[in-house]
Amino acid sequence: MAKNQQYCIPSHVAIIMDGNGRWAQKRAMPRFVGHRQGLAALKRIVRYASERGIETLTVYAFSTENWQRPQEEVNYLVNLIHETFSKEIGELHREGVRIVLVGDRSTLSSDILRVWDRAERITAENQGMTLNIAFNYGGRTEIVNAVKNIVTKALAGSISIDDINAELISEELYTSHSPDPDLLIRTGGEQRLSNFLLWQSAYTEIYVTTTLWPDFDEKDFDKALDSYSQRERRFGKVPAKELTK
Ligand code: FPP
């Protein structure tokens, strides 16, 4: 980094935690072992991100498409996520982490929703890092729901067509309580968004690493932050220094 360049910490980091299955396959182990190690990596990174002063961390835990995986894997993942909440909620709460489910609640069973409601209720007033967990999440469904809500309001006369703008759409997304992500990290090497935060990522800096998620550690997180700090974010404009020429 140039001497006088300020080190810039992103306020909101989003992560696509990919590569659990490959991590297990490389070791001739069943995929669920990869998910269990993936959870250990997530715990590490939640703690570290909070220490580094990240205000919001959004992680892709389970997509609307993941229900199509073999039933055994789906059951394992859903149980893993819920057991974790039952066990870890106390510690996350002590660390001041606020947990928010970002995803489609309308298709979740009441048993599953109860776990999320409890986690959200207990941590609602916490002032530390916000941990958004994308569960039963799909970016297109999120946008479709937002459009439906807006049209319902327009038909009811509580808003007019002219009130519809980008801010209003953002307010109808599952992530309405959070700013857009500054940095999106994808592990496992694939270079795509996979239906994650489609609207919110319009100007997000993307960092892809071939490291598989279970191996992702504090050093890897720092590398992503270093890379972010060297980016020049222009939001479609020309660099400020060009304007003074
Ligand atoms: C993608 O790897 C990973 C997932 C579908 C699940 C991620 C979930 C966790 C890390 C556990 C989360 C736990 C909590 C409490 C939120 P993949 O299976 O697609 O890997 P592959 O691309 O190598 O097959």
Side-chain angles (χ1 to χ4, degrees), residues 5 7 14 40 55 68 81 93 100 103 119 127 132 134 153 155 174-175 192 202:
Q5 193 184 327
Y7 194 91
E55 288 167 19
Q68 291 157 36
I81 292 170
H93 184 42
V100 184
Q127 299 297 312
N132 290 326
K153 286 179 188 171
L155 290 175
Y174 310 135
T175 53
R192 52 175 170 260

Side-chain angles (χ1 to χ4, degrees), residues 17-23 31 35 38-39 42 59-61 66 69 73 77 80-81 84-85 133 213:
M17 308 181 286
D18 197 16
N20 293 348
R22 276 167 284 164
W23 186 93
R31 292 174 61 84
H35 293 315
L39 173 64
L42 178 59
V59 293
Y60 206 2
N66 285 154
R69 291 189 175 206
E73 183 170 345
L77 262 174
L80 183 71
I81 292 170
T84 304
F85 276 122
I133 304 201
W213 175 250

Side-chain angles (χ1 to χ4, degrees), residues 17-27 33-42 44-45 187-188 209-221 223:
M17 308 181 286
D18 197 16
N20 293 348
R22 276 167 284 164
W23 186 93
Q25 273 155 9
K26 268 172 68 179
R27 291 161 179 78
V33 180
H35 293 315
R36 202 170 57 207
Q37 290 303 312
L39 173 64
L42 178 59
R44 254 189 333 256
I45 294 306
T187 61
T209 170
T210 52
T211 301
L212 303 175
W213 175 250
D215 291 328
F216 192 83
D217 63 12
E218 292 86 342
K219 281 202 191 87
D220 296 304
F221 193 75
K223 273 191 212 157

